[in-house]
Amino acid sequence: MQPVLKSVSLDKSQPLQQQLYVALTRLILEAQLEAGVHMPSSRRLAEDMQVSRNTVVAVYEQMKAEGFLVAEPGRGFFVSPSIRSEERRSWSAHNQSIVSCEAGQKGADGKQTAKKSLRASASLNEGNLPFTPGLPDLQAFPIKQWNRIAHHHESRLSLLGYDNIQGYTPLCEAIADYVRTSRGVRCNADQVIITCGAQQALALMCDVLLDAKDEVLIENPGYRGAKRVLQRHDIQLHAVPLHNNVLNVDALAKFSKAKLVYCTPTHQYPMGGSLNIAERLQLVRWAKAAGAWVLEDDYDSEFQFASRPFAAVQGLMDDAPVVYIGSFSKTLMPALRMGYMIVPSQLVEPVLRRKHIVSGESPTLAQAVVAEFMQTGQFNRHVRRMRQLYKSKWQYMVNAIETRLSDRLNIVAESAGMHLVVTFAQDDMPLVQHLKKQGFGSASLSDHFVSENIQENQFSKQNGLVLGFASASEKQIDQCVAVLDAVLN
Ligand SMILES: Cc1ncc(COP(=O)(O)O)c(C=O)c1O
């Protein structure tokens, strides 16, 4: 065994799998485990660490998925040659603990969890039709527990006045705790700012960071909400194409004067790919060299099925020029209109000044409810249940499409979580309209490509649909697939 591995010691403070993952990734990022090093077999490491072999296998698989390790058939795992050693020094001894999102997850049956705790409403407005991208399963929301907490806070006089512009302090603390442990974000509660959804976070950051004529980069295809924010500014907007369904980080090299890049590194929106560790490091290295900011939109990383979500870009190194943006729209409900961002300390004041002007404080009562929901562990439980539920819906939908439509459309494998992207040759706009008439919300894939007047447009639009299966029942999935079967030819 590599002598350096002997320095790893595990204790009972946190799940063993999580501790082993943190220890091994840190050794790689600190260049103590060099590129190409042959990792011990899972059996050997399990014996040495006195953990089960399954634990080691799970950690190795996760590290392989993130690009820390590569597997060679019959030979085992090696440290990936694509992580250049000078990039690894920046990993500090920061007390980072990435909680295994699978830990404690005891195979809850998705169907059982979808307790009908909210009355189904026949009068959902157009924005809430099944298959609307990003819409969670509202019927599965634990509304009784939520109401109990809300009722408890309603009569607290201290919550009825003005509060801190940054956000309700217990909520900032709960969020800091959550993103540190589940996403590897490096922060303290003073860096958390509560916003009106991720959308306000994006708007505030662009207001604070951008000057006229700045070069700004977005993914293509990408999130339409970000495009709308950026198009308000008098800037030079460049569309960076994707490669393998993630931001093409090689293409950043020619933008050495860019001020900001907006991206979705953990679940590219809408195509679904995740930047691996080498690409993440390349992104941060480019941003540092260019003096650019990375706006990391981590809108739905909780709902990854293939592996544990990759740790956030923000947490890769202490001085990464990254603003991390999160949202409760997917994990709780869009109606809360609550999101948050983690900003470097020097940006806190300017952002708060801007927030004062555009919105004032965020609603305190709602923040207090979310804070208690998180502090009491109900948030993590809900997210775990939803992950199971969405996974089973995703499998059901993939199966239904493959059975009936595989000759006419392609499923983009990476797109999972809460939506599925399918591509096909025919014009997608009329199809979206047709689905809407049948009571199904969806979005046209071609609409996620930036329009022709944006500079550097070397792309061809793809036709397809973004189908938000999270909000659909199995019956509705069957119905929607039947409609597609009838109209796609
Ligand atoms: C890429 C992306 N970012 C952020 C959000 C969340 O936005 P908000 O928190 O404003 O609801 C969404 C919602 O659809 C999204 O798709």
Side-chain angles (χ1 to χ4, degrees), residues 133-134 196-199 223 262 264 269 297 299 327 329-330 337-338:
C196 176
Q199 194 64 26
Y223 180 45
Y262 164 83
T264 46
Y269 194 84
D297 184 351
Y299 64 104
S327 171
S329 291
K330 321 284 176 228
R337 298 310 307 134
M338 202 181 290

Short mmCIF file of all heavy atoms in Angstrom, two decimals, residues 133-134 196-199 223 262 264 269 297 299 327 329-330 337-338, ligand 1:
data_model
loop_
_atom_site.label_atom_id
_atom_site.label_comp_id
_atom_site.label_asym_id
_atom_site.label_seq_id
_atom_site.Cartn_x
_atom_site.Cartn_y
_atom_site.Cartn_z
N PRO A 133 -40.80 21.54 -16.77
CA PRO A 133 -39.43 21.32 -16.27
C PRO A 133 -39.20 22.03 -14.94
O PRO A 133 -39.61 23.17 -14.75
CB PRO A 133 -38.55 21.94 -17.37
CG PRO A 133 -39.40 21.87 -18.60
CD PRO A 133 -40.82 22.08 -18.14
N GLY A 134 -38.59 21.32 -14.02
CA GLY A 134 -38.22 21.91 -12.74
C GLY A 134 -39.31 21.88 -11.69
O GLY A 134 -39.06 22.24 -10.54
N CYS A 196 -34.66 35.83 -3.38
CA CYS A 196 -35.97 35.43 -3.91
C CYS A 196 -35.70 34.47 -5.08
O CYS A 196 -35.66 34.87 -6.24
CB CYS A 196 -36.71 36.68 -4.36
SG CYS A 196 -38.27 36.32 -5.13
N GLY A 197 -35.45 33.22 -4.74
CA GLY A 197 -35.12 32.21 -5.76
C GLY A 197 -33.70 32.40 -6.28
O GLY A 197 -33.04 33.42 -6.03
N ALA A 198 -33.26 31.39 -7.02
CA ALA A 198 -31.94 31.49 -7.67
C ALA A 198 -31.95 32.66 -8.65
O ALA A 198 -30.92 33.27 -8.92
CB ALA A 198 -31.63 30.19 -8.40
N GLN A 199 -33.14 32.96 -9.15
CA GLN A 199 -33.24 34.02 -10.16
C GLN A 199 -32.75 35.36 -9.60
O GLN A 199 -32.02 36.09 -10.26
CB GLN A 199 -34.70 34.12 -10.62
CG GLN A 199 -34.89 34.92 -11.88
CD GLN A 199 -34.20 34.30 -13.11
OE1 GLN A 199 -34.00 33.10 -13.17
NE2 GLN A 199 -33.84 35.13 -14.05
N TYR A 223 -29.50 27.65 -19.49
CA TYR A 223 -30.69 28.03 -18.71
C TYR A 223 -31.25 29.36 -19.21
O TYR A 223 -30.53 30.37 -19.23
CB TYR A 223 -30.29 28.13 -17.24
CG TYR A 223 -31.42 28.51 -16.32
CD1 TYR A 223 -32.67 27.91 -16.43
CD2 TYR A 223 -31.23 29.46 -15.33
CE1 TYR A 223 -33.69 28.25 -15.58
CE2 TYR A 223 -32.26 29.81 -14.46
CZ TYR A 223 -33.49 29.21 -14.60
OH TYR A 223 -34.52 29.55 -13.76
N TYR A 262 -21.38 32.04 -16.47
CA TYR A 262 -22.50 31.41 -15.77
C TYR A 262 -22.52 29.94 -16.20
O TYR A 262 -22.49 29.64 -17.40
CB TYR A 262 -23.84 32.07 -16.14
CG TYR A 262 -25.01 31.19 -15.74
CD1 TYR A 262 -25.50 31.19 -14.44
CD2 TYR A 262 -25.58 30.30 -16.66
CE1 TYR A 262 -26.52 30.34 -14.06
CE2 TYR A 262 -26.61 29.45 -16.29
CZ TYR A 262 -27.08 29.48 -14.99
OH TYR A 262 -28.08 28.62 -14.62
N THR A 264 -23.61 25.54 -15.03
CA THR A 264 -24.29 24.55 -14.18
C THR A 264 -23.40 23.29 -14.16
O THR A 264 -23.70 22.31 -14.83
CB THR A 264 -25.69 24.23 -14.77
OG1 THR A 264 -25.56 24.02 -16.20
CG2 THR A 264 -26.66 25.36 -14.55
N TYR A 269 -27.70 22.36 -17.40
CA TYR A 269 -29.09 22.57 -17.75
C TYR A 269 -29.18 23.01 -19.20
O TYR A 269 -28.57 23.99 -19.58
CB TYR A 269 -29.75 23.64 -16.87
CG TYR A 269 -31.25 23.60 -17.03
CD1 TYR A 269 -32.01 22.71 -16.28
CD2 TYR A 269 -31.89 24.38 -17.99
CE1 TYR A 269 -33.38 22.62 -16.47
CE2 TYR A 269 -33.26 24.29 -18.17
CZ TYR A 269 -33.99 23.41 -17.42
OH TYR A 269 -35.35 23.29 -17.60
N ASP A 297 -24.33 27.60 -10.69
CA ASP A 297 -25.75 27.38 -10.39
C ASP A 297 -25.94 25.89 -10.08
O ASP A 297 -25.84 25.05 -10.96
CB ASP A 297 -26.58 27.81 -11.61
CG ASP A 297 -28.08 27.70 -11.35
OD1 ASP A 297 -28.48 27.13 -10.32
OD2 ASP A 297 -28.86 28.16 -12.21
N TYR A 299 -28.62 24.14 -9.07
CA TYR A 299 -30.07 24.18 -8.87
C TYR A 299 -30.71 22.87 -8.44
O TYR A 299 -31.71 22.87 -7.75
CB TYR A 299 -30.75 24.70 -10.15
CG TYR A 299 -30.54 23.75 -11.31
CD1 TYR A 299 -31.54 22.92 -11.75
CD2 TYR A 299 -29.29 23.66 -11.93
CE1 TYR A 299 -31.32 22.03 -12.79
CE2 TYR A 299 -29.06 22.76 -12.95
CZ TYR A 299 -30.09 21.95 -13.37
OH TYR A 299 -29.87 21.05 -14.37
N SER A 327 -31.10 26.75 -4.69
CA SER A 327 -32.52 27.10 -4.73
C SER A 327 -33.33 26.09 -3.93
O SER A 327 -32.99 24.91 -3.89
CB SER A 327 -32.99 27.06 -6.19
OG SER A 327 -34.39 27.17 -6.26
N SER A 329 -36.47 25.81 -4.78
CA SER A 329 -37.60 25.55 -5.68
C SER A 329 -37.75 24.08 -6.01
O SER A 329 -38.86 23.59 -6.21
CB SER A 329 -37.43 26.34 -7.00
OG SER A 329 -37.57 27.71 -6.76
N LYS A 330 -36.64 23.36 -6.11
CA LYS A 330 -36.72 21.93 -6.47
C LYS A 330 -36.81 21.06 -5.21
O LYS A 330 -37.50 20.08 -5.18
CB LYS A 330 -35.48 21.48 -7.25
CG LYS A 330 -34.95 22.46 -8.22
CD LYS A 330 -35.81 22.51 -9.44
CE LYS A 330 -35.32 23.58 -10.38
NZ LYS A 330 -36.32 24.45 -10.89
N ARG A 337 -40.39 30.83 -3.36
CA ARG A 337 -39.51 31.83 -3.97
C ARG A 337 -38.31 32.08 -3.06
O ARG A 337 -38.05 33.20 -2.64
CB ARG A 337 -40.24 33.15 -4.27
CG ARG A 337 -41.38 33.07 -5.21
CD ARG A 337 -41.07 32.34 -6.51
NE ARG A 337 -39.90 32.84 -7.23
CZ ARG A 337 -38.96 32.01 -7.74
NH1 ARG A 337 -39.04 30.71 -7.61
NH2 ARG A 337 -37.95 32.51 -8.39
N MET A 338 -37.62 31.02 -2.74
CA MET A 338 -36.47 31.18 -1.87
C MET A 338 -35.25 30.46 -2.44
O MET A 338 -35.32 29.30 -2.84
CB MET A 338 -36.78 30.63 -0.48
CG MET A 338 -35.87 31.24 0.58
SD MET A 338 -36.21 30.56 2.19
CE MET A 338 -37.80 31.27 2.54
C1 LIG B 1 -30.82 25.96 -14.19
C2 LIG B 1 -31.78 26.49 -13.17
N1 LIG B 1 -31.33 27.33 -12.23
C3 LIG B 1 -32.14 27.79 -11.26
C4 LIG B 1 -33.46 27.43 -11.22
C5 LIG B 1 -34.31 27.85 -10.04
O1 LIG B 1 -34.73 29.08 -10.09
P1 LIG B 1 -35.59 29.69 -8.89
O2 LIG B 1 -34.89 29.39 -7.60
O3 LIG B 1 -35.57 31.13 -9.20
O4 LIG B 1 -36.94 29.08 -8.93
C6 LIG B 1 -33.99 26.63 -12.21
C7 LIG B 1 -35.43 26.33 -12.21
O5 LIG B 1 -36.00 25.84 -13.13
C8 LIG B 1 -33.12 26.12 -13.19
O6 LIG B 1 -33.57 25.28 -14.12
#
